């Protein structure tokens, strides 16, 4: 895709896309507070872009929003710039300054220059609309430039397979094991709030760079593995460390702790870690989809819940609070707060067919389902009441919250159930005088009597523990009126 105008229609489309990007940039200072942590991970609105929507390739290895509002997306087949409506592709065919199509890391410095770390093509910079290879005195950098960060002093640091690259004042230096690194095979680099630089290695643990000196931390110091994949300093001063096969580590107050599949992680191989503006930790796994650590609880979004891929390479939160997820084969996914919050079997409901819903006096929501019994939703947690718990039927047609805090439940085949405040379930069926087991509606009147409307059995009133069949009384009155004098 070229950058030249193709006519009036193309100009109109380009103006519309520019307006979208400008709107994103203007809206940034008034950004929303980010993803609502009270929602289940499955309740965010999810949109996915693949090659059919214009993405150059479905493996997304790098993500970054630049100061002008554009989202840059690195793939194996080129770099894409997304304006919210369409992708513009940059590759070796239309951008000669790009030395490789596979972009694996991105970093924008304070001057607005975009740095692109490639696989096999070294480092490339983009400024003033032009790509050009970065001439480095350190020589070629084979393999991938996996991670980049600009520190508080404006220096660019890059984790490479040959050591730690530093760009400062237009000059490059490569720090290696000769300078104190435990390994030259690096995977990630990050700066914390104190200005310390942290470096993850592929085989020799973790290094901290402070005041020109490296300090090394390994399995001997409490790391669950020396094979590290990702780093994320959080706002509390902790450092989150993703490992290859040994879960997620946290360095807090000088001590390492680990979370694994035994603690709820969906995979023990962590490819990326990000903290969002609400303090939640998002974890991209190898084979387990996307995990969220929120309030000490881990939840997962996988292909079973409709996520595009279970292999997550990159996670990025934009200035609007949307979460962008790059996958290994499922394209680019965006999570955001939707206008509607959906509750379904993914959030714990026993059935996706809900016939009746009721809010009780304590703020809990009761949902009567077809085939799944009764569900109670309170504080985001779902509790189920089914035939196994004593309900007469799992197909619910009517509900009524009584003034004493109990609940009346009308079903299709089991008549009328009463769930007392103590949790006992009382049954009113044919044996108790109910003429039909199909209860369509139920209500409590001002005197405390309960009225049940049935399918084919008329109207019944329950008062003082006894059922009164109004259908029979009306028929008896009619018969008395027709009696001969």
């Amino acid at each position: 895709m070229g950058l030249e105008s193709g006519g009036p229609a193309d100009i109109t489309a380009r103006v519309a896309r520019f307006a979208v990007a400008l709107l994103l940039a203007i809206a940034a200072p008034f950004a929303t507070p980010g993803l609502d942590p009270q929602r289940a991970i499955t309740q965010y609105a999810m949109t996915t872009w693949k090659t059919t929507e214009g993405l150059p390739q479905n493996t997304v290895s790098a993500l970054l929003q630049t100061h002008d509002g554009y989202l840059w997306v690195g793939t194996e087949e080129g770099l894409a710039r997304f304006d919210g409506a369409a992708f513009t592709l940059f590759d070796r065919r239309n951008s000669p300054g790009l030395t490789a199509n596979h972009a694996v890391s991105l970093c924008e410095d304070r001057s607005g220059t975009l740095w692109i770390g490639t696989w096999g093509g070294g480092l490339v910079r983009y400024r003033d609309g032009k790509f050009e290879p970065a001439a480095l005195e350190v020589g070629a950098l084979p393999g991938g430039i996996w991670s980049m960060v600009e520190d508080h002093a404006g220096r660019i640091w890059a984790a490479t397979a040959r050591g730690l690259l530093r760009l400062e004042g237009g000059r490059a230096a490569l720090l290696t094991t000769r300078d104190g690194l435990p390994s030259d095979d690096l995977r990630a680099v990050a700066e914390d709030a104190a200005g310390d630089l942290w470096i993850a290695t592929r085989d020799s643990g973790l290094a901290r760079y402070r005041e020109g000196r490296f300090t090394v931390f390994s399995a001997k110091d409490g790391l669950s593995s020396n094979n590290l994949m990702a780093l994320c300093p959080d706002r509390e001063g902790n450092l989150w460390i993703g490992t290859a096969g040994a879960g997620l580590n946290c360095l807090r107050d000088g001590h390492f702790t680990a979370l694994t599949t035994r603690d709820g992680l969906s995979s023990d191989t962590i490819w990326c870690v990000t903290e969002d503006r609400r303090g939640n930790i998002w974890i991209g796994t190898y084979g387990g989809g996307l995990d969220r650590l929120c309030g000490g609880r881990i939840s997962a979004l996988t292909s079973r819940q409709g996520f595009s891929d279970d292999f997550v390479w990159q996670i990025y939160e934009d200035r609007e609070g949307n979460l962008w997820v790059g996958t290994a084969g499922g394209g680019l996914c965006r999570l955001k707060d939707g206008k509607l919050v959906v509750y379904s079997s993914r959030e714990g409901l026993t059935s996706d067919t809900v016939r009746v819903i009721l809010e009780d006096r304590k703020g809990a929501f009761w949902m009567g389902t077809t085939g799944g019994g009764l569900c109670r939703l309170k504080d985001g947690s779902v509790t189920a009441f089914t035939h196994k718990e004593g309900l007469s039927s799992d197909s619910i047609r009517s509900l009524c919250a009584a003034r004493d805090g109990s609940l009346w439940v009308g079903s299709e085949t089991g008549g009328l159930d009463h769930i007392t405040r103590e949790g006992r379930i009382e049954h009113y069926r044919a044996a108790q005088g109910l003429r039909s087991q199909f209860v369509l509606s139920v209500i409590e009147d001002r005197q405390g009597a309960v009225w049940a409307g049935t399918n084919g059995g008329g109207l019944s009133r329950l008062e003082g523990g006894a059922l009164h069949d109004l259908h029979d009384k009306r028929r008896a009155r009619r018969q008395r009126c027709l009696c001969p004098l």
Side-chain angles (χ1 to χ4, degrees), residues 149-152 155-158 164-166 175 189-192 194-199 206-211 213-215 231 239:
V149 66
E150 183 184 35
D151 70 11
H152 64 281
R155 295 169 295 202
I156 301 293
W157 299 87
L164 183 64
L165 178 67
R166 182 182 65 207
L175 306 183
V189 59
E191 186 187 35
D192 65 19
D196 290 343
L197 202 68
W198 296 90
I199 304 99
L206 178 70
R208 182 186 65 203
Y209 187 67
R210 176 190 291 174
E211 297 178 353
R213 298 183 60 184
F214 289 101
T215 303
L231 296 172
L239 179 69

Side-chain angles (χ1 to χ4, degrees), residues 13 16 146 159 202 246 296 341 374 400 405:
W146 294 106
R202 292 296 299 269
V341 180
L374 186 63
C400 173

Side-chain angles (χ1 to χ4, degrees), residues 122-304:
L123 188 62
V124 177
R125 59 175 166 247
Y126 176 77
R127 58 187 176 191
D128 300 326
K130 181 181 178 182
F131 293 94
E132 57 183 357
L136 304 175
E137 302 90 335
V138 298
L141 295 172
I145 298 178
W146 294 106
S147 171
M148 288 188 289
V149 66
E150 183 184 35
D151 70 11
H152 64 281
R155 295 169 295 202
I156 301 293
W157 299 87
T160 81
R162 283 191 54 208
L164 183 64
L165 178 67
R166 182 182 65 207
L167 301 178
E168 182 178 16
R171 300 189 62 84
L174 191 66
L175 306 183
T176 67
T177 52
R178 295 189 299 270
D179 303 288
L181 272 173
S183 170
D184 291 338
D185 193 0
L186 310 182
R187 188 61 175 82
V189 59
E191 186 187 35
D192 65 19
D196 290 343
L197 202 68
W198 296 90
I199 304 99
T201 77
R202 292 296 299 269
D203 52 14
S204 300
L206 178 70
R208 182 186 65 203
Y209 187 67
R210 176 190 291 174
E211 297 178 353
R213 298 183 60 184
F214 289 101
T215 303
V216 178
F217 305 88
S218 69
K220 295 179 181 179
D221 304 293
L223 273 174
S224 61
S225 172
N226 287 333
N227 189 352
L228 309 184
M229 303 287 288
L231 296 172
C232 173
D234 71 16
R235 67 195 64 195
E236 305 261 332
N238 308 310
L239 179 69
W240 298 89
I241 307 148
T243 75
L248 180 67
N249 285 212
C250 181
L251 177 60
R252 179 182 289 115
D253 299 326
H255 300 283
F256 291 97
T257 56
L259 296 172
T260 68
T261 50
R262 294 189 298 271
D263 304 293
L265 282 181
S266 55
S267 170
D268 282 335
T269 295
I270 311 301
W271 271 353
C272 53
V273 187
T274 297
E275 182 191 31
D276 70 18
R277 65 190 62 191
R278 304 293 289 270
N280 302 303
I281 302 299
W282 294 87
I283 306 148
T285 75
Y286 181 88
L290 179 67
D291 286 358
R292 181 187 67 181
L293 177 60
C294 174
R297 298 178 58 185
I298 299 173
S299 52
L301 183 62
T302 71
S303 57
R304 292 190 299 273

Side-chain angles (χ1 to χ4, degrees), residues 1-72:
M1 181 185 300
L3 300 178
E4 299 295 328
S5 173
D10 182 67
I11 293 174
T12 301
R14 290 174 63 204
V15 169
R17 291 195 293 269
F18 176 75
V20 172
L22 183 60
L23 181 61
L24 289 175
I26 294 173
F30 310 99
T32 58
L35 297 180
D36 182 0
Q38 299 301 317
R39 298 192 184 192
I41 193 173
T42 52
Q43 290 179 316
Y44 299 120
M46 182 167 56
T47 307
T48 302
W49 291 265
K50 297 183 179 180
T51 53
T52 50
E53 288 75 39
L55 199 66
Q57 199 262 344
N58 287 334
T59 299
V60 175
S61 49
L63 292 168
L64 179 73
Q65 184 181 30
T66 46
H67 70 280
D68 53 11
Y70 287 109
L71 182 74
W72 290 81

